[in-house]
Amino acid sequence: METENDKTPEKNGAQGDGRRTIVLAAAALIVVFGLKMARDMVVPIMMAAFLAIISYSITGLLRRYLRFPHWLAVAFTVLVDFGILIAVGCLINYLALDMRATLQGEFAGRFNELYAETMQWLGKFGMEDQARAMFSSPQDLFQLRAVQDILQTATGHILSLMSTSTLVLILMTFLLGEAPLFLRNLRAISHNPQAKGDLLNALRGIQKYLFIKTIASLCTGLLVWVLCVAMNVPFAFLWGVLAYVLNYIPTIGSIAAAIPGTLMALLMGGWGDAAAVGLGYLAINCAIGNGVEPLFLGKQFGIATSVVLLSVLFWGWVWGPCGMLLAVPVTVLIKLALENSRDLSWVAHIIDDHPKKPSTPTTTNNND
């Protein structure tokens, strides 16, 4: 007969598991808020790692096919990245200043015309008086000064980011230079070979993801630029660059990239042009995001789509726009750590997109 003493170890074990879970949850909260508070220090390091993983493919190609020494391949890669960052920063600054001048001229006149056309169209349905009661003038509907202030603020943030690019590039240089040493040290680890193999596969997967995502983003930006040029949308190149950058952010990025180009088409061309540009954005994102990327990437990370979206929102809250860019790679590494944790492996199984079937326990024959 089972006694009270026989139940005590089981109860103590359950209580111990509960306390361990509470401690782990508290530690996770402390780490998250620490990362949020240390954003200014952590984000440059993460961006350097992000660029190093992308750029390591270039370094490898230079070493493999052009027989560059490792130091020369790293130096050439860093110079290319630095030139791209400077060119993009100068271009965005120039386009932002040009846009501010346009907002004060042609844009303002066209917006007043669109306001009058919209009120005239609403008058056909007897809604003009109600609309004018809500928005008596174009300025009530759209504050031009506010847009100019937003552009000025955004330009300032971009230039500030460019000023910190030197630190990012220095960190990236060291990461690229020591990448072979890191890989050799990782392969030399003798204990827990399964965890070592999983980490190597995850790093290769992240590198492949970022490389293919870069190619897909370039294709997206190019197609958006062609679309905007064909529809005579002002600042077509800017919308292409914006589509390229935001395409790194899953789901949310493609939606955000379509808004300014579509609004510009509406203001400068009308409702028909806006509908055509919006449908063009939708077709490009569906073709690239739902056709090309899954074809080359597949579901190698095994993360549910809803978890990817939540991770974008979460890391955006922690690290801002840079966190959205890094959401998928960081989530992949966290999932790997959870899979190799005795207490939290169940969390990795919950967020897995194709969970493994539990193995059937073997039974022993007690009749032998």
Side-chain angles (χ1 to χ4, degrees):
M1 183 176 179
E2 188 178 19
T3 63
E4 188 68 25
N5 292 332
D6 296 331
K7 297 181 181 179
T8 302
E10 183 177 349
K11 288 183 179 180
N12 291 336
Q15 292 176 356
D17 291 340
R19 286 193 294 266
R20 189 182 299 111
T21 302
I22 294 174
V23 171
L24 290 174
L29 288 176
I30 293 173
V31 170
V32 168
F33 280 100
L35 291 174
K36 183 175 176 61
M37 297 300 294
R39 175 191 302 184
D40 295 338
M41 181 182 67
V42 176
V43 168
I45 298 175
M46 297 302 296
M47 288 302 300
F50 175 80
L51 291 175
I53 293 174
I54 295 177
S55 303
Y56 190 72
S57 300
I58 302 175
T59 305
L61 291 174
L62 292 174
R63 294 181 59 190
R64 187 177 303 113
Y65 295 105
L66 298 181
R67 304 298 181 183
F68 277 25
H70 181 66
W71 68 268
L72 184 58
V74 170
F76 187 82
T77 303
V78 172
L79 287 176
V80 170
D81 291 342
F82 183 74
I84 292 174
L85 288 174
I86 293 297
V88 170
C90 294
L91 179 62
I92 291 177
N93 185 40
Y94 169 77
L95 291 175
L97 294 176
D98 190 20
M99 182 177 290
R100 289 182 61 192
T102 304
L103 288 176
Q104 297 174 352
E106 181 183 0
F107 185 88
R110 176 56 190 154
F111 183 75
N112 291 332
E113 293 177 4
L114 183 62
Y115 172 82
E117 292 173 2
T118 304
M119 291 300 172
Q120 184 178 2
W121 179 78
L122 291 174
K124 297 179 181 179
F125 303 95
M127 301 172 61
E128 181 178 359
D129 293 337
Q130 293 86 341
R132 289 190 180 277
M134 296 176 61
F135 308 105
S136 58
S137 66
Q139 288 73 25
D140 294 337
L141 184 63
F142 192 82
Q143 293 291 337
L144 204 59
R145 180 64 182 172
V147 177
Q148 295 175 354
D149 292 339
I150 291 174
L151 284 174
Q152 186 174 0
T153 302
T155 304
H157 283 304
I158 292 173
L159 294 178
S160 176
L161 180 62
M162 296 302 298
S163 66
T164 62
S165 62
T166 303
L167 174 61
V168 173
L169 288 173
I170 292 174
L171 293 173
M172 187 191 74
T173 303
F174 281 99
L175 291 175
L176 282 176
E178 297 179 354
L181 177 62
F182 171 75
L183 293 176
R184 285 197 300 269
N185 291 339
L186 187 60
R187 293 190 181 97
I189 298 176
S190 58
H191 66 282
N192 198 354
Q194 179 63 36
K196 178 183 67 175
D198 291 342
L199 179 57
L200 284 173
N201 291 332
L203 292 176
R204 293 191 190 101
I206 291 173
Q207 185 179 12
K208 178 183 176 182
Y209 166 81
L210 292 177
F211 179 75
I212 294 178
K213 194 71 174 177
T214 299
I215 301 300
S217 298
L218 285 172
C219 294
T220 301
L222 179 62
L223 291 174
V224 167
W225 173 65
V226 172
L227 170 68
C228 293
V229 169
M231 295 301 300
N232 295 319
V233 179
F235 312 107
F237 189 78
L238 177 61
W239 310 135
V241 173
L242 187 65
Y244 162 73
V245 174
L246 293 182
N247 192 64
Y248 281 102
I249 302 175
T251 308
I252 299 176
S254 57
I255 297 174
I259 294 175
T262 305
L263 288 178
M264 187 62 69
L266 170 64
L267 294 173
M268 304 306 292
W271 292 101
D273 289 352
V277 171
L279 290 175
Y281 268 101
L282 180 62
I284 292 170
N285 290 324
C286 287
I288 301 295
N290 298 325
V292 177
E293 289 184 13
L295 178 64
F296 290 98
L297 288 174
K299 294 184 177 181
Q300 60 180 356
F301 294 143
I303 301 177
T305 305
S306 58
V307 176
V308 173
L309 180 59
L310 290 174
S311 69
V312 170
L313 298 175
F314 174 77
W315 290 110
W317 171 73
V318 175
W319 288 336
C322 293
M324 292 183 174
L325 290 173
L326 302 170
V328 173
V330 171
T331 304
V332 169
L333 294 178
I334 291 176
K335 179 175 178 288
L336 175 63
L338 293 174
E339 287 176 346
N340 291 276
S341 172
R342 185 184 64 180
D343 298 318
L344 298 176
S345 59
W346 58 272
V347 180
H349 290 293
I350 290 176
I351 66 176
D352 205 327
D353 193 26
H354 46 275
K356 299 177 182 178
K357 294 182 180 180
S359 58
T360 304
T362 57
T363 57
T364 57
N365 190 356
N366 296 326
N367 295 330
D368 293 341

